[in-house]
Structures are given as C-alpha cells and as structure tokens.
Amino acid sequence: MRHQVVIIGAGPSGLLLGALLHQAGIDTLILEQRSPDYVLSRIRAGVLEQGTVNLLRRVGAGARLDREGLVHEGFAINFAGEALRIDLKALTGGSSVTVYGQTEVTRDLMALRVASGAPTIYDAEAVTIHDFDRDTPRVSFVQDGQHREIACDIIAGCDGFHGVSRASVPETALRTFERVYPFGWLGVLADVPPCAHELIYAGHDRGFALCSMRSMTRSRYYIQCRLDETPESWPDTLFWDELRRRLDPEAAARVVPGPAIEKSVAPLRSFVAEPLRFGRLFLAGDAAHIVPPTGAKGLNLAASDVHYLSEALIAFFGEGTASALDTYSARALDRIWKAERFSWWMTTLLHRFETSSPFERRMQDAEFAYLRISQHARATVAENYVGLPF
Ligand code: APR
Ligand code: PHB
C-alpha cells in the first residue's frame, strides 16, 4: 500500500491538514491510535482566530461554525476585582474572534473527511515511522491484530505532545525549549448561562480564573489550582464559591452555579521543538509545541502550522522539487514563537506564583495599571489575541 502523505494523528492538526491536501488533489492516509469517540471526548479550548475560521471555511468545514459560533468583539481582563475591557474590534481595526469549541471543530472536520472519501484508520496500534531520513519513508502499525506497512513520500507528525513522531527523531537532531508552570487549571463545563456575554480573564490574589462559554446556555469556567489537586478535591459547591471570590463583584453576582458535566485538571506548559523538519518527517500542532491555554492559542497555532505545511507540500508535489519543503520549519517557528511569547506573557500577568517576590507582584500590578491607562498597551494585547497574520 502506498499514499503520498501519511498523517499521524486525527486531532485538529491532522484532520485540517488532510482537508487542505485533499482539496489540492494530494492523496493522504490518516492514522489515529484512538477511536473517533475517544477523540471527540476530549474537551479543549474554544476561541478561534479569524485566520482559523477562514481556513475552516476554505476547506468546507465552516457551515455549522458560521451558524453556531459566537462572534466576540472584546473580552475583559479583571485584576484584583477591577474590570478592564479589551475592545478587540476597535483596537485592531475590525477584527474579532469566534467562540466555538475545539471538540466541535474536530467533529466538523471528521464529518468532512468521511464525506470526502479519503481514508482514516482509527484504533491503529503500535504506529512506528521508518526511514524518514531517506526519500522513501514508511509507516507500520497493527490493525485488528494484523501488521501493516504503508510506503509514502511524506510523513506529517500531527500526533500531539505525547505522539510517536517527535519521539522518533534522534535527540541530537532536536532542540527543545520548555517552561513548566507550577500550577494547573481546574476546568468545569456546566449547562448554565454564562455570567457575561464576553470572556473574563481574572488575575486575583487567590489565583487566576477564566469565565468562558460554549453557547448562551453552556458555560466553561476555569480556576488556577495546585498540581496535586484533582477534580475530587473540588466538589461543585467549593468550585462555584472559589470562582466567585476571584471575580469582580458584578461578574460574581451573575455567576449561575449548576452541576458540572465535566471537571478536569490540566497542567500548564510552554514548549517548542526546533526544527520542525527532519528529512521527510514534518511536525505540526501539539507535536511541535505547547502553549499554556491563557491566550487561547493552541488550536490556532495548529491551524497556522498546517496552513504553512500544506503550502509547502502542495508546491513539493506540484513542482516535484524538494526545495519547497525547506521553508516550512522557519515560517512556522516564526509565528509559533510570537504566540509562545503572548501566552507566556498573559500567563505570567494573571496567575499567582507562590514563589514570586514582592517585587514581582508589584510588576504584575504595574503591568495591569499600564494596560488601564494605555491604549497602545491594550492594542498590543488585542493584536495578539485576534491572531497575528499568516
Ligand atoms: N499514533 C497515532 N495517533 C496518535 C499517536 C500515535 N502514536 N499518538 C497520539 N496520537 C493521536 C492522539 O490520539 C490525538 O488524537 O494524535 C492526535 C493528536 O491530537 P491533539 O493532541 O489534539 O493535537 P493537535 O491535532 O496538534 O491539536 C492541537 O489540540 O491539544 C490541543 O491545545 C491544543 O488546541 C490545540 C490542539
Ligand atoms: C475555553 O473556552 O475553554 C477557553 C477559552 C479561552 C482560553 C482558554 C480556554 O484562553
């Protein structure tokens, strides 16, 4: 068996890359180690940049997003109980973001893939990549107990942070950069109306909190927690009380508590691998980098990566020259580092670090005070939040 491109991983990166390549007439196989239901059970972030929305529309996965997505023209930063609106639309000359869950993006891309007739193999076990340092790479795996092997021209590693692709690169060929934050986010999904019509990012002495939503009847809330805490350490009533304590009084009064339909703790990490190309193997999305969720950049970075990668691969298969592949890593990394900077900055501004000195706390206060008085500072936040161009 042979395909032009084997894509490892059917998360948003792999599915979107598959759609972009299919549209260009390039033949792809997606190999996913989990089941479709498992992939769809992962609850993740939900803010799409305009560039991501445009890409989804371009591949034909934009219809439900256009119907159900909530366009947000601003969001609030609360600091020590005081609210400040970042007017995205006014500060960026007309840009906004769309609130639409990553799970729904994945669902739409999966349906598109099925409709296109392009193959995806779920529940693939022992996926192993071979010979990507030659022009004839191969991928082997086990399906229903049978060993199988696929020849290809290109392997796209879209298999997330714990995937096999990055792990297969010799250590000496890879440089990694990492910051692990000493706290996590406890997330709660509940079928209650959101406390505000825009997102609220709150920095507070007791720790960070975020008010987000999936629809006008479904809310997504997060609070900063310790890494040793579990969903069981946070019964619903404790969670709602703690959330309200960290918000400004007006938002706190509008929080409608309700039973959690999902509750989980996620660690926060910044991570980048360099480069993103190793012969015929390319890394994209969480396989290549992680951002803390504070800037809502994870899914959007995955989208810009696969946009650049699809351009390189379309030129490669069109022109038949390997030089088209050379540009991907540098182009993608340039945008990745800028999103890493913004996510790190927002995380550092709004979280409570137990080890921070009185000086560092005053720096957080001063940063917020500056945002309050400076439209330039707010415009910088807005420009990054709506997404740098790609
Ligand atoms: N073989 C096949 N598939 C694999 C393997 C493997 N060895 N390892 C992991 N996978 C699959 C996972 O099961 C998952 O479905 O790869 C997929 C990777 O998907 P994601 O982790 O969602 O990563 P990505 O598609 O890059 O999406 C990035 O998702 O994690 C969020 O915040 C992140 O929003 C960002 C987005
Ligand atoms: C979410 O809705 O899950 C969400 C929104 C914004 C973020 C992170 C997560 O920055």
Side-chain angles (χ1 to χ4, degrees):
M1 268 182 75
R2 183 178 167 80
H3 291 274
Q4 286 174 294
V5 181
V6 174
I7 298 172
I8 319 282
S13 302
L15 289 165
L16 184 56
L17 180 64
L20 287 162
L21 295 181
H22 180 77
Q23 221 171 28
I26 295 168
D27 145 55
T28 60
L29 169 70
I30 301 184
L31 279 182
E32 165 60 53
Q33 67 177 0
R34 303 287 190 170
S35 67
D37 284 348
Y38 183 94
V39 170
L40 286 175
S41 69
R42 293 189 288 233
I43 310 275
R44 281 167 173 171
V47 176
L48 307 185
E49 295 171 359
Q50 192 58 49
T52 305
V53 171
N54 292 345
L55 267 184
L56 290 167
R57 283 188 189 142
R58 201 209 296 171
V59 298
R64 194 160 67 96
L65 164 64
D66 283 333
R67 278 198 312 276
E68 297 176 15
L70 306 170
V71 174
H72 282 211
E73 295 179 352
F75 69 93
I77 296 182
N78 283 9
F79 200 80
E82 206 185 309
L84 172 71
R85 181 164 187 265
I86 305 292
D87 188 335
L88 295 173
K89 197 173 179 191
L91 291 165
T92 61
S95 297
S96 53
V97 294
T98 302
V99 172
Y100 188 70
Q102 180 174 321
T103 313
E104 303 315 311
V105 172
T106 308
R107 197 187 304 280
D108 296 344
L109 287 169
M110 271 182 176
L112 182 77
R113 180 91 188 161
V114 170
S116 76
T120 309
I121 296 175
Y122 285 95
D123 299 308
E125 293 169 62
V127 174
T128 311
I129 62 179
H130 311 271
D131 296 341
F132 53 83
D133 54 345
R134 303 190 201 158
D135 290 348
T136 51
R138 289 171 298 123
V139 181
S140 64
F141 60 102
V142 174
Q143 184 185 19
D144 300 327
Q146 304 266 27
H147 178 85
R148 296 186 55 186
E149 203 168 288
I150 316 276
C152 58
D153 298 309
I154 299 286
I155 300 172
C158 298
D159 47 353
F161 186 64
H162 300 289
V164 68
S165 300
R166 197 184 66 253
S168 303
V169 174
E171 245 173 65
T172 49
L174 194 71
R175 194 155 175 218
T176 60
F177 304 82
E178 182 170 55
R179 165 153 305 178
V180 177
Y181 299 89
F183 41 72
W185 278 16
L186 173 76
V188 162
L189 191 66
D191 277 328
V192 292
C195 69
H197 64 282
E198 293 182 342
L199 270 59
I200 302 173
Y201 291 82
H204 191 275
D205 255 357
R206 300 180 63 91
F208 172 79
L210 169 59
C211 309
S212 181
M213 65 192 75
R214 291 290 173 272
S215 68
M216 293 324 285
T217 55
R218 179 168 285 188
S219 301
R220 180 70 170 159
Y221 290 106
Y222 299 91
I223 56 173
Q224 176 184 349
C225 65
R226 290 198 319 269
L227 280 167
D228 60 1
E229 288 178 311
T230 62
E232 291 69 46
S233 8
W234 284 97
D236 287 1
T237 49
L238 269 189
F239 173 82
W240 295 112
D241 287 347
E242 185 60 32
L243 173 71
R244 282 182 287 215
R245 274 193 205 115
R246 297 182 188 187
L247 302 177
D248 66 285
E250 207 186 306
R254 278 190 271 108
V255 169
V256 182
I261 51 179
E262 196 264 356
K263 199 186 278 170
S264 52
V265 174
L268 272 72
R269 181 197 301 270
S270 298
F271 173 88
V272 181
E274 286 183 356
L276 303 180
R277 176 192 176 185
F278 309 90
R280 294 295 183 97
L281 169 68
F282 294 81
L283 304 179
D286 276 18
H289 46 75
I290 296 288
V291 284
T294 324
K297 290 285 162 246
L299 174 61
N300 295 298
L301 261 193
S304 54
D305 286 358
V306 300
H307 164 73
Y308 294 136
L309 183 53
S310 70
E311 284 194 342
L313 295 180
I314 290 165
F316 170 66
F317 287 110
E319 297 158 15
T321 53
S323 63
L325 305 175
D326 292 341
T327 53
Y328 167 66
S329 184
R331 270 183 101 193
L333 281 165
D334 184 61
R335 190 169 191 275
I336 289 164
W337 277 113
K338 293 184 182 106
E340 290 284 345
R341 185 201 70 83
F342 179 64
S343 308
W344 158 83
W345 176 83
M346 247 182 112
T347 304
T348 307
L349 169 68
L350 293 171
H351 288 74
R352 170 76 200 257
F353 292 72
E354 268 174 18
T355 52
S356 68
S357 64
F359 177 81
E360 286 162 322
R361 300 240 179 110
R362 284 287 194 268
M363 285 297 103
Q364 288 178 313
D365 297 346
E367 192 86 51
F368 182 74
Y370 178 52
L371 279 176
R372 281 202 43 181
I373 58 116
S374 167
Q375 181 170 317
H376 295 294
R378 289 196 299 281
T380 295
V381 174
E383 175 181 51
N384 283 276
Y385 196 83
V386 301
L388 298 174
F390 62 89

